[in-house]
Amino acid sequence: MASRLRRTLLAALVTAAVVFPVSAAAGPSAVPAPPPAALGPLDAAELPLLQARFAANRDNIREAARVAADHGDRRRAASLDVMAAGGRQLLTFDGRDGGRTAEVFGDLAHADRIALLVPGSDTNLDTYERFRAGAVTLFDATRAAGGTRTAVVAWLGYATPGTVSTDVLTTGRADDAARQLRAFAREMKAARPRAGLSLLCHSYGSVVCARAAQGLDAADIAFYGSPGTGADSVGELGTRATVWAGRGRGDWIADVPHVRLELPGTDIGFGTDPVSDGFGARVFDAGDGGHSDYLRPGTVSLDNLALIAAGRAGQVPGA
């Protein structure tokens, strides 16, 4: 009976994905943008090079805003005008295909810890400020936790799937994104080789991180609000990192069936629940919040993720 119920629920998810959201898929990626600025390898040790990199990306964002405005997309143009504000530290930017960017908070040139935030579905240039707000609160929380030399990077490095879409039920987007995440994480380690690296991965972003985990020199990988990772256990991830998992008691993702179904040409679903005993992660308390609440100020989940990001995992209750 339980197996039949899981299959029925998953079939309903697939049906919803096919029926409802065609208009959402055509939105962010359809806005034209210029090619990204030509940038050399990241060198966090050279502050003038970092500042030049930030300036080049700001110029590219302003040009992308002009192109979006000429195209008639005022929402995208307005979003980009906000991103181009002085003082923003954009390590990468590409306005094409929904947008890619990476923004750093804190002093990357002197960081002894680097936390990469990896977002889930429906994150693009039009919704980026919401994702950025979580990175800001995490950065503030790491400082409160004693991580005064922790840099936080909001990494929007892939075309995220729509929340209601067939893509969000498979690893297809994650397989492509994992290659980009692995390359970016290695660039971070090359720039700051002695800095401890953590991946903080929300929702579908946990699938991306799981696919990227093997071979990465990461100290910690934290999955939160995860529908599953595509792996049945921590051992399958092929990582030496400490793997964490948390889920808020009000998060609807708990009701997503943790199964994987083999269909012609693809698999649907992500398998074992990361907070289950069988998966083998260290489970941290994520409080009572919902799916979008993990990085809200004052939450238990934010406090614990900040401790992990700051390299103070031993202070996580129950760790």
Side-chain angles (χ1 to χ4, degrees):
M1 175 69 76
S3 176
R4 184 181 302 172
L5 177 59
R6 292 190 190 98
R7 289 174 181 268
T8 300
L9 288 171
L10 198 51
L13 285 172
V14 173
T15 300
V18 172
V19 170
F20 289 109
V22 181
S23 61
S29 62
V31 184
L39 301 170
L42 176 66
D43 189 342
E46 297 291 339
L47 284 175
L49 292 180
L50 270 181
Q51 295 297 333
R53 190 181 189 96
F54 300 152
N57 282 319
R58 279 196 296 271
D59 289 343
N60 189 253
I61 294 168
R62 293 188 184 102
E63 178 60 24
R66 286 192 289 271
V67 171
D70 290 343
H71 182 68
D73 194 318
R74 294 182 179 178
R75 179 185 181 191
R76 172 63 60 82
S79 297
L80 294 174
D81 284 338
V82 172
M83 288 186 72
R88 298 276 287 259
Q89 300 185 126
L90 278 297
L91 294 169
T92 65
F93 176 81
D94 185 346
R96 301 169 299 179
D97 188 29
R100 312 282 191 276
T101 192
E103 184 172 5
V104 63
F105 305 89
D107 183 1
L108 182 61
H110 299 96
D112 59 15
R113 292 283 301 191
I114 301 171
L116 299 186
L117 271 185
V118 181
S121 58
D122 287 328
T123 308
N124 52 62
L125 291 183
D126 294 335
T127 62
Y128 174 73
E129 291 303 312
R130 181 178 62 200
F131 174 48
R132 181 184 190 270
V136 172
T137 59
L138 178 67
F139 173 67
D140 291 342
T142 61
R143 293 179 68 81
T148 56
R149 295 182 62 185
T150 299
V152 173
V153 179
W155 182 80
L156 174 55
Y158 75 111
T160 66
T163 299
V164 186
S165 70
T166 51
D167 286 338
V168 84
L169 302 174
T170 74
T171 63
R173 294 285 182 101
D175 289 335
D176 292 337
R179 289 187 286 272
Q180 303 301 319
L181 177 58
R182 192 179 293 115
F184 184 81
R186 286 173 176 165
E187 193 172 8
M188 290 287 100
K189 286 295 293 184
R192 294 293 299 162
R194 296 186 179 181
L197 179 68
S198 57
L199 306 181
L200 275 57
C201 319
H202 179 235
S203 195
Y204 190 84
S206 65
V207 187
V208 175
C209 289
R211 308 303 267 195
Q214 189 167 10
L216 274 188
D217 184 12
D220 297 278
I221 301 175
F223 304 129
Y224 54 104
S226 174
T229 65
D232 288 328
S233 68
V234 167
E236 287 188 13
L237 298 178
T239 179
R240 293 179 296 177
T242 301
V243 178
W244 302 80
R247 183 169 63 225
R249 288 179 281 276
D251 190 343
W252 57 263
I253 206 79
D255 297 324
V256 171
H258 290 96
V259 295
R260 187 185 302 113
L261 299 181
E262 295 183 4
L263 298 177
T266 189
D267 290 347
I268 300 290
F270 303 113
T272 305
D273 186 348
V275 301
S276 67
D277 291 339
F279 188 75
R282 293 190 183 183
V283 178
F284 64 89
D285 186 2
D288 296 324
H291 193 64
S292 301
D293 297 333
Y294 290 92
L295 298 180
R296 288 190 183 278
T299 58
V300 172
S301 53
L302 174 64
D303 291 343
N304 286 333
L305 286 167
L307 287 169
I308 294 168
R312 297 174 179 264
Q315 298 179 24
V316 176

